[in-house]
Structures are given as C-alpha cells and as structure tokens.
Amino acid sequence: MKQLCLSFLLLCTSTSFAQVKLARLFSDHVVLQRQKPIPVWGWAKPAENITVTLAGQTQTAQADASGKWIVRFLAMEAGGPFQLEASAASGKATVKDILLGDVWLCSGQSNMEWPVRQANNFQEEKKNADFPQIRHFFVEHDVTLQPQADLKSGDWKVCSAQTVGDFTAVGFFFARDIFQKTNIPIGLVHSSWGGSQLEGWVSKEGMESSDELKGYVKKIPVSWDEADLLLDESIKEKLLGNPKIQVTLADEQKYTAAGYDFSKWHTGNAIGQWDWQGIWAWRGNGFIAKSVSIPSEMIAEITTLALAESFSENEVYINGKLVFSGILKGVRKIIVPANTWKAGQNSLVIKMKKTIDPAWYGMGMAGSPDDLYVSSNTQKVQLGGSDWKLMPSFAEPHTYAHLSNNVGTTLYNAMIAPLVPFALKGALWYQGETNAGRSYQYRKTFPLMIQDWRKKWNDDFDFYFVQLSSYGSYQNSNQGSGWAELREAQTMTLSLPKTGMAVTTDIGNPKDIHPTNKQDVGKRLAAEALKKTYHQQLVSAGPMIQSFVFEKGKATLTFENVGTGLVIKDKFGYLKGFEIAGDDKVFYYAKAEIKDNKVVVYYPKGQKPSSVRYAWADAPEDANLFNKEGFPACPFRTDNWKGVTEGAVFK
C-alpha cells in the first residue's frame, strides 16, 4: 500500500510540476507547413536542455533565461499523421495527429470572421464538409498593450459536419477548393475581429518605420488607464469640442428639463450600439433624445410610446415630465396619459443606464426601427431613423471596454505576435470597411502592414486579399465615394510582389455589410492562389484597366485579364457602370459598349473627355463588365482628381 501511495505521489509530482510546454499552436491535429523549415518553440526551466522529435527528425535546444526555447526542423513534404514530442529532465509534452501541408493565416474584420453556419446554404454545406485534412485554429479576441509570447487559449479542429459551422467561411471555402484541386492538407489559422481597423494589426516597429504612422507611436499609452483617459478626451472633443471639459451632475440634470436644447448633441440612431456610431467602447450611462412631431388630434388621447429593446434602467421624459422609470424586457410599450404630448414639436429625452443584459452590448437599443413609435387608437407616428441625438453621461461613473479599436498595435500584440514565427504558406485578408473614411491613407498603411508581417516572419509569403464588396448607396462620381477610394487603395497594393485580389462588387448586398455569399469569395481567392502559388494554368481574376485613349466624343479602354473575352452580364445586353467627364470634372452616366475586346465609352457632350470611371460608388450593384470566365472587372478611374477621403488620417 505504501509503495502504491509513493508511486501515485511521484506521478502527481511529475504531472503537476512538469515544466516543458509547447506554444499553444502546437496542439493535437495541427497542420505544419511543408517545404519550409519548421520552427517549433515552447518553454521549460531556464537553461534546461530540450530534445524535440518530429517525423524521424530530432533537434535539441537549451532554454534561455526566461525559459523559452526554439528548434527548427528541416523542410519536409506533405504527409502524416505524425507525432511531435518535446522532452527534458523536468517533463514531456506530446502532440498527436500532425499533418504536413499548407498553412494559411486568415485575418481581417467581420467578413473574414463570418462563420460557415451563417453563410449561404449551410445545411447543404454541412453535407460537403467531411475533410479531415482541413483543420482550423481560432484565435480568441484579445487586445494587449505589449506583444504577447503565447496565446491564452485555442486548439485545432478537424473539419467535419459537426465542426465546420464555426470555421471562417471565406477561409473554409478557399481551403476546400485548394484541397480538392491539390490534395494537399490545409491548415487555417484564423485571427480576425469584426469591425477592426487596420492600424490595430500593425506592430509598433512597423508603425515606427512609416512616415504615416510613426507620429502615432509617440502617443501610444503604456497602461489601460492612460488609454481610457485618452479615449475619454477624444470623445469629449468630438461631442463637446473640448477634450478637457468637466461635465457636472448639475449640467446633466438640465438635459431632461423642459425646453433644453439638445440639437447640438451627437447625431445617431436609437437602434444599434454606440460603439459603431462614433462613441467607441463607452460603458456607462447616457442620454438619447429626439424632437417628436405629434398631430393635434392625438393630444387628448392615451398613447403608447414604443421603445425598442434595452434591458437597462430607463427614465423617459416628455417635455420635461417623467412618464416612466424602471426596467422592461423586450420591446417596451409605455402608456402615456392623455394631454402629455402637445400639438407640434415635443421633446423626448431618455436617460439610459448601463446595459444589464447583454452587458457587452454597451449603450444603445436593439431590434428594429419599427419598434420605435408613438401610437393611439387611430394613428401612429414612427420614431425610427438616424436623427436621434446621443450624449454620454460624463459626470457619472463610466468605463471603456477594451476592444479592437481603442489603441493601435493592440491586435497585433495579442493576436499576431504569438503566431510568429509559425511557418505559413501565405495569408488571406478581408478588411477595409472600417478604414473607408481614410481610404487615401490606406494606400500606404495596407502595404505597410503586409510588409510588417513579412518582416516579422522573415518570409515574403503570399498575401491574397478581398476587395470591398458593395454596401450602402449608389452615388455618382460628382458626390464621391470613400468605399471606391478604398477599393482603389487595395488595387494599388497589388504592386507589392506575391499579392493577389478577389473583386467582389457583384456579390455584395447594398443593404447588409455582411453579404452571405462567402462561397464565391473563397473560390475567387482560391483561383488567385491556384494560379500564383500553385502554378496552375487558369484565369484567376477579372478585367483590369490597362490603358486608355481619349478622342473627341469617346474614350477607348484596353484591359488585361480579359481571359477568352469581355462579356456583359445583363439580360438586355447593356453595359453599365461607366461615368465620363471633361476638363470641368463634371461626370455623366455614360453609354458604353464592347468592341474588339475593348470598351468604348461615349461622352454625351460630344467633346474630348478627360476621365472615365467604372463602378465608382459604395454599392455599384449594376456594374456588369466581366470576362467569359466569370470574373468581374475591377473598379477604376483614369484620373487622379482629389477624392473625398484625402487628408483623413489615423489618430
């Protein structure tokens, strides 16, 4: 019995105090990069000798003073399954079911994060998801002010009907197409965050190397308290015009009084998180207000004030009178006594306290604009729209959620740095929506990020990205478009070596920033990779403007990537999406046609044109020039006239 107890004690001791640890990426089912040296790293006791074995190779290392060690295995071909073992006097770590294949880092914002279960035809896709040689590692959301050595959590998932729903949809459809055409195992390291701005994904060193961003590095806070103060001052400057202003409780008590003028408050929507309405990461109390026009015949009636969902304590004031105080779940319907409203304009002010459930939501209502109205037995006045006024309660206790866009570099620190130098085949990137307000600067910051990552990995790996899809309005070129300018910046980034782009303007949704057709996005990225990375002979992209000639009354455009020919994707045969302008820089919608695999665009004024633009709008949904292989033409302009985002910079 004594011997049994001693053996048990020794087992517990060796397990509890084993010092050898592999980096989180090296866990069961990992895919390691073929045809490149394979770095493997982890931690042990300082100065301890480590022996690491993989697929018949053995490497040794000594842990440094911090306990970190790293070995590099010689490049190997695709195959597996293999086992990885790291051992030392203090313990042993083992990883099973390892494949050698191609590893792709998938990053960006929500359209990369969008899971397969929310993409088109999920039930059908599940039936075609039995791919045990496709594996997925999800990097949890995190932000840190300093680069991290390892991830806090995460493991590799083998693709199946049961697991594929949580994979990045763009990444999975890319991987499936690549695997089906190459039979090479694919690993997806998925590190993205919805709504994130590009500057969060750039390292401090990358910023310091850039004239565009090195000034920001000097202002990066060293603590979250400092970061919160800077954000507080930024919001005060935006909303109140003074970053140092001190707002008192007495000031805010006036907000709900009759006759208070809230017209200079921040304009936004009652529906939706304040995070996305210019009041970033606010976690505290706040006020929303609206001037409501009530018909005279409703004044003497009992009315219902319907407010969309917000599970928090609310105080509702009409013309300075408190008509409700408390918490209601769901769409809230408040009975308003007769003669509370007055004919004509009324002041509606709602004080909202911090959201209880879900706490992460922050300030703002959830639901539909149709859930906001005033009604009587005979009439209804809708209150939805973007003409509400918003104001945080600066005088009351508040905090800031530590999210993706509070401080630049913090996404890199927490979600990219721990991945370096895990060997990669390449990267897939889908981001830009959040940067569309400073698209001109994206011309420099996007290439900077790519070069920054390549430098960190010491590897000029392939980098393929998705051009922004169609979302929002279809304005004309006289109005300008930030999204068009962002697409232009993305196109210009193709000047970097070993890059490729998937054009997606034809498969977007003008009413939804998250189009659910992720299948075609993945396939178009895969086409670029199959041609440029895997050296297959195929057309991988759509027509791209190559040259142009201006003559009296028309412009003749020549394209590359025409494949087997230019075509119009329109049942009536009309070529759409073109605008043309003269020296006066006034654009007109233009007639265009395909002639001899070129496009001729006609100037309605009959004079010699100076510029042609194609698909130059936030949502150019009817732009319909394609090649016969089915790839859409890339949006473009032939001029370099000043755009709407020139001068907007990251601060």
Side-chain angles (χ1 to χ4, degrees):
M1 184 67 180
K2 184 182 290 186
Q3 183 63 38
L4 181 61
C5 290
L6 180 60
S7 299
F8 180 72
L9 179 61
L10 289 171
L11 177 63
C12 291
T13 302
S14 63
T15 302
S16 302
F17 295 94
Q19 296 295 311
V20 177
K21 173 190 171 186
L22 288 159
R24 178 75 63 171
L25 280 169
F26 300 101
S27 58
D28 290 350
H29 317 302
V30 61
V31 179
L32 300 177
Q33 182 58 47
R34 69 187 178 111
Q35 298 178 340
K36 289 184 179 181
I38 303 169
V40 176
W41 69 95
W43 293 266
K45 289 182 177 180
E48 190 169 30
N49 293 318
I50 315 294
T51 300
V52 191
T53 60
L54 170 67
Q57 292 191 48
T58 299
Q59 300 288 342
T60 59
Q62 186 178 54
D64 64 17
S66 70
K68 186 172 182 180
W69 54 265
I70 186 168
V71 298
R72 287 178 171 81
F73 290 96
L74 299 176
M76 292 181 275
E77 294 299 322
F82 301 111
Q83 182 168 299
L84 173 69
E85 186 175 283
S87 59
S90 63
K92 181 171 67 174
T94 303
V95 179
K96 300 177 182 178
D97 188 31
I98 297 170
L99 296 181
L100 269 291
D102 285 342
V103 182
W104 291 88
L105 172 58
C106 305
S107 190
Q109 56 182 110
S110 53
N111 275 306
M112 179 60 80
E113 191 172 2
W114 201 256
V116 174
R117 57 183 155 78
Q118 290 183 279
N120 285 352
N121 307 316
F122 175 49
Q123 294 306 318
E124 288 301 312
E125 296 296 358
K126 283 175 65 175
K127 298 175 184 177
N128 189 23
D130 183 22
F131 293 97
Q133 291 188 301
I134 296 176
R135 281 106 186 266
H136 181 274
F137 186 103
F138 177 69
V139 177
E140 293 285 348
H141 290 177
D142 195 14
V143 285
T144 59
L145 294 172
Q146 297 297 328
Q148 300 300 293
D150 199 11
L151 300 170
K152 296 175 182 177
S153 62
D155 54 14
W156 286 88
K157 301 294 185 185
V158 177
C159 186
S160 69
Q162 290 70 42
T163 63
V164 73
D166 292 329
F167 285 25
T168 160
V170 169
F172 168 68
F173 295 125
F174 168 89
R176 187 173 67 183
D177 212 39
I178 296 293
F179 177 75
Q180 288 176 327
K181 292 180 171 65
T182 66
N183 205 36
I184 296 168
I186 302 293
L188 301 173
V189 178
H190 176 201
S191 182
S192 63
W193 192 327
S196 59
Q197 57 193 1
L198 176 134
E199 293 83 0
W201 298 101
V202 182
S203 74
K204 180 180 178 181
E205 295 77 16
M207 285 192 173
E208 287 174 330
S209 71
S210 163
D211 290 339
E212 286 293 318
L213 297 178
K214 65 182 180 183
Y216 177 79
V217 175
K218 300 175 183 177
K219 303 182 295 182
I220 292 180
V222 297
S223 70
W224 281 112
D225 286 343
E226 184 184 343
D228 292 348
L229 177 60
L230 290 172
L231 187 51
D232 202 67
E233 291 180 349
S234 173
I235 294 176
K236 282 182 178 179
E237 183 174 24
K238 180 188 296 183
L239 272 58
L240 302 173
N242 182 351
K244 303 295 184 180
I245 192 170
Q246 295 299 312
V247 183
T248 68
L249 286 172
D251 294 329
E252 293 185 351
Q253 286 172 354
K254 299 174 184 177
Y255 294 172
T256 59
Y260 180 81
D261 180 14
F262 48 73
S263 62
K264 295 182 179 179
W265 287 5
H266 186 67
T267 301
N269 202 313
I271 304 293
Q273 293 173 269
W274 284 16
D275 293 349
W276 306 109
Q277 301 194 62
I279 307 175
W280 179 257
W282 177 270
R283 297 297 180 265
N285 303 338
F287 300 84
I288 63 172
K290 184 180 176 73
S291 182
V292 180
S293 180
I294 300 293
S296 58
E297 53 268 28
M298 292 178 68
I299 303 308
E301 297 182 298
I302 296 173
T303 57
T304 298
L305 172 62
L307 300 175
E309 298 181 51
S310 177
F311 191 53
S312 64
E313 287 190 43
N314 280 195
E315 297 171 6
V316 181
Y317 296 85
I318 296 175
N319 298 321
K321 181 180 180 180
L322 179 67
V323 298
F324 172 82
S325 178
I327 301 175
L328 292 174
K329 269 225 166 190
V331 177
R332 298 162 294 163
K333 296 184 178 180
I334 299 164
I335 302 302
V336 179
N339 298 308
T340 302
W341 302 101
K342 62 183 182 181
Q345 296 301 315
N346 293 259
S347 168
L348 172 63
V349 180
I350 305 166
K351 181 175 182 181
M352 301 170 63
K353 294 193 175 180
K354 187 175 180 180
T355 303
I356 299 169
D357 184 27
W360 59 263
Y361 193 81
M363 192 61 63
M365 299 183 191
S368 165
D370 294 336
D371 296 332
L372 293 165
Y373 59 84
V374 178
S375 68
S376 66
N377 289 331
T378 58
Q379 294 190 63
K380 179 184 283 190
V381 176
Q382 294 289 348
L383 303 181
S386 57
D387 57 347
W388 285 77
K389 297 295 180 176
L390 318 178
M391 180 59 67
S393 174
F394 289 105
E396 295 183 317
H398 57 275
T399 60
Y400 287 97
H402 296 158
L403 303 175
S404 58
N405 297 341
N406 298 41
V407 181
T409 76
T410 53
L411 291 167
Y412 173 85
N413 291 340
M415 299 177 64
I416 298 297
L419 311 179
V420 182
F422 192 78
L424 303 174
K425 187 69 171 178
L428 307 178
W429 178 258
Y430 194 159
Q431 190 275 344
E433 297 91 339
T434 302
N435 280 77
R438 47 184 185 274
S439 298
Y440 262 64
Q441 193 177 40
Y442 204 80
R443 296 177 175 193
K444 296 182 178 179
T445 55
F446 185 31
L448 169 69
M449 190 204 75
I450 297 172
Q451 292 167 320
D452 181 37
W453 287 11
R454 287 174 170 174
K455 186 174 182 179
K456 291 294 186 182
W457 260 272
N458 193 27
D459 182 3
D460 291 333
F461 50 71
D462 294 340
F463 197 104
Y464 302 123
F465 50 93
V466 182
Q467 192 184 59
L468 286 191
S469 194
S470 293
Y471 171 70
S473 59
Y474 195 168
Q475 64 275 74
N476 60 48
S477 286
N478 298 316
Q479 298 167 303
S481 165
W483 278 50
E485 291 173 16
L486 197 288
R487 294 188 193 102
E488 180 180 52
Q490 291 173 315
T491 304
M492 294 170 73
T493 303
L494 292 172
S495 62
L496 286 184
K498 302 177 73 174
T499 56
M501 182 175 73
V503 177
T504 63
T505 44
D506 62 313
I507 52 175
N509 183 344
K511 296 181 179 180
D512 192 339
I513 202 168
H514 302 123
T516 54
N517 177 5
K518 295 293 191 277
Q519 287 87 340
D520 283 329
V521 180
K523 288 179 180 178
R524 290 177 187 179
L525 285 173
E528 285 282 74
L530 287 168
K531 179 176 183 177
K532 298 176 179 179
T533 301
Y534 297 95
H535 308 297
Q536 296 189 5
Q537 298 300 311
L538 74 160
V539 176
S540 63
M544 182 92 62
I545 186 68
Q546 186 177 49
S547 62
F548 50 89
V549 176
F550 293 140
E551 304 171 84
K552 183 177 180 180
K554 67 180 182 180
T556 302
L557 313 176
T558 303
F559 295 84
E560 55 183 330
N561 299 335
V562 298
T564 53
L566 299 177
V567 294
I568 302 168
K569 198 172 183 180
D570 181 77
K571 63 183 179 181
F572 297 108
Y574 293 110
L575 187 55
K576 303 173 185 175
F578 287 90
E579 297 174 272
I580 198 166
D583 291 340
D584 59 3
K585 300 183 181 180
V586 176
F587 282 89
Y588 299 89
Y589 294 120
K591 174 186 174 182
E593 58 185 352
I594 297 173
K595 286 187 175 181
D596 300 323
N597 255 357
K598 298 181 180 181
V599 171
V600 180
V601 186
Y602 297 94
Y603 189 25
K605 298 186 72 173
Q607 301 166 8
K608 186 177 180 180
S610 298
S611 174
V612 172
R613 294 183 179 183
Y614 173 73
W616 200 262
D618 291 0
E621 54 186 318
D622 65 357
N624 62 356
L625 178 65
F626 287 71
N627 58 26
K628 290 182 179 179
E629 284 71 20
F631 293 100
C634 180
F636 68 88
R637 60 174 176 159
T638 63
D639 64 84
N640 61 358
W641 299 338
K642 185 174 181 178
V644 295
T645 66
E646 196 166 344
V649 297
F650 178 67
K651 296 180 180 179

